Amino acid sequence: MRTAEIFKDKKVLSLEIFPPRRTAPIDTIYHTLDELQGLNPDFISVTYGAGGSETNTATLEIASAIKNDYGIESVAHLPCINLTKNEVLDMLAGFKQAGVENILALRGDINPDFTPKQDFRYASDLVSFIKENGDFNIIGACYPEGHSECPNLVDDIRNLKTKVDAGTDQLITQLFFDNNYFYSFRERASIAGINVPIQAGIMPVVNKKQIERMVTLCGVELPKKFITMMKRYENNPIAMRDAGIAYAVDQIVDLMAQDVDGIHLYTMNNPYIAKKIYAAISALLAA
Ligand code: FAD
């Protein structure tokens, strides 16, 4: 099923997982999926490391298992910066054969250790290429606080409009910790004529290290309330975990009340946290 269709009937809840690290056996992800299955997500997406080729087959293998063994709609992430057109064609053939109908079309982060292949410059180039070469539901990434490389929010929205016009069917945001950024972004998108569903990406924070990495990587702002919470609990892992869950639930309740199209939960492959959040918001999804 094309995941964009689901928004016509309900608030969408999706989960994001990543393939196990190279040193871990692939089976560990199936234990995680066994537990996530009970949350009845509308779809589960599987990330893909843009830097090299190690996780290529893992993304396809896991997305295929989600769809065919777990009976849950799956989304395969596909960052294009280090791929040639022929490599993308091979991957599209693999997705088609596995019955994976949904692709999160990405550029990928520029890795100083790899010279980008020159076939795709932006995610919108990949969106057009997929449209020309297959019949897939295409999802795009978007950034409530603006993408870190873009000099201003106006250009970022213009570039997003180009990506949507190229054939993007739905959007998922980068994580954010202040919902006001999401509401302003949604308004800018609407003014720009971007009318596809926009899911809010929510990442529950479980430890200080994780959040420091995220801030460096994504450049998102931490609200005062959040920083106070981290300072108070940073040396108490259980309290920090529970405070992170409560913060994410609070964000989601506010987003649902403000009629968000859906929530995309960055699970960090942690079923305990995903289950706690689901238990707190499941009635809201049905309301
Ligand atoms: P683009 O849409 O191409 O945008 C990149 C930059 O280029 C932006 O600053 C944009 O404003 C600018 N731009 C776009 N078009 C133009 C144009 N025509 N002219 C000038 N400037 C332009 N990365 C991974 O490697 N693997 C993953 O699995 C992964 N999953 C992700 C999932 C989500 C939900 C999100 C939000 C991000 C994910 N990323 C992943 C990270 C993503 O690859 C990076 O954020 C990357 O830096 C940008 O990717 P993009 O697809 O948004 O790029």
Side-chain angles (χ1 to χ4, degrees):
M1 182 187 196
R2 301 166 76 89
T3 53
E5 297 295 318
I6 309 171
F7 294 87
K8 290 178 185 158
D9 302 321
K10 66 192 290 282
K11 301 281 177 214
V12 168
L13 174 69
S14 58
L15 307 175
E16 180 171 312
I17 60 168
F18 51 80
R21 313 254 173 252
R22 260 172 296 165
T23 44
I26 190 136
D27 277 2
T28 55
I29 198 65
Y30 297 118
H31 302 310
T32 304
L33 284 168
D34 289 343
E35 297 202 52
L36 294 178
Q37 190 176 24
L39 309 191
N40 206 14
D42 292 301
F43 65 86
I44 298 180
S45 80
V46 189
T47 67
Y48 176 125
S53 60
E54 296 87 359
T55 60
N56 296 5
T57 50
T59 300
L60 173 58
E61 185 182 331
I62 297 164
S64 169
I66 291 168
K67 167 97 185 184
N68 300 304
D69 302 339
Y70 289 86
I72 299 169
E73 212 47 60
S74 66
V75 170
H77 295 211
L78 183 55
C80 58
I81 188 85
N82 291 318
L83 294 174
T84 63
K85 287 184 175 173
N86 279 336
E87 284 167 330
V88 170
L89 286 176
D90 284 347
M91 300 210 61
L92 295 183
F95 294 142
K96 192 165 179 51
Q97 199 181 10
V100 175
E101 293 176 69
N102 305 288
I103 298 175
L104 177 44
L106 297 150
R107 186 199 66 181
D109 281 323
I110 295 177
N111 182 337
D113 298 335
F114 287 88
T115 308
K117 308 253 173 84
Q118 302 297 331
D119 283 8
F120 302 98
R121 185 157 180 207
Y122 300 113
S124 54
D125 302 329
L126 177 64
V127 173
S128 305
F129 187 75
I130 295 173
K131 278 273 155 203
E132 284 162 22
N133 291 286
D135 181 22
F136 291 93
N137 180 68
I138 304 177
I139 306 170
C142 58
Y143 303 84
E145 297 175 52
H147 184 260
S148 55
E149 290 166 34
C150 200
N152 64 70
L153 297 178
V154 174
D155 284 345
D156 208 34
I157 281 285
R158 279 204 190 106
N159 296 333
L160 183 62
K161 173 84 168 113
T162 304
K163 185 158 69 176
V164 171
D165 289 348
T168 304
D169 299 289
Q170 66 188 88
L171 295 168
I172 300 179
T173 75
Q174 171 82 281
L175 61 104
F176 55 90
F177 297 106
D178 179 346
N179 287 1
N180 288 322
Y181 280 115
F182 178 82
Y183 301 132
S184 307
F185 164 75
R186 192 169 60 170
E187 205 164 60
R188 287 196 302 280
S190 173
I191 291 166
I194 294 171
N195 298 317
V196 297
I198 304 175
Q199 267 179 285
I202 297 294
M203 178 175 285
V205 170
V206 288
N207 62 56
K208 198 172 170 223
K209 238 191 196 156
Q210 171 205 0
I211 188 65
E212 282 168 354
R213 205 176 52 237
M214 285 304 150
V215 170
T216 314
L217 208 68
C218 315
V220 294
E221 194 183 300
L222 300 180
K224 198 164 169 257
K225 178 175 151 183
F226 188 92
I227 294 170
T228 309
M229 174 189 89
M230 275 210 319
K231 277 195 182 137
R232 176 78 174 87
Y233 301 118
E234 62 181 301
N235 296 319
N236 182 336
I238 303 288
M240 184 69 233
R241 181 197 67 192
D242 288 355
I245 292 170
Y247 193 95
V249 168
D250 189 44
Q251 274 194 284
I252 295 171
V253 171
D254 182 59
L255 287 160
M256 297 294 280
Q258 302 276 350
D259 208 22
V260 69
D261 294 320
I263 301 293
H264 183 72
L265 196 62
Y266 295 101
T267 71
M268 310 299 288
N269 292 5
N270 186 326
Y272 175 88
I273 290 172
K275 281 180 182 175
K276 286 281 178 196
I277 292 175
Y278 179 74
I281 64 155
S282 59
L284 278 61
L285 290 165

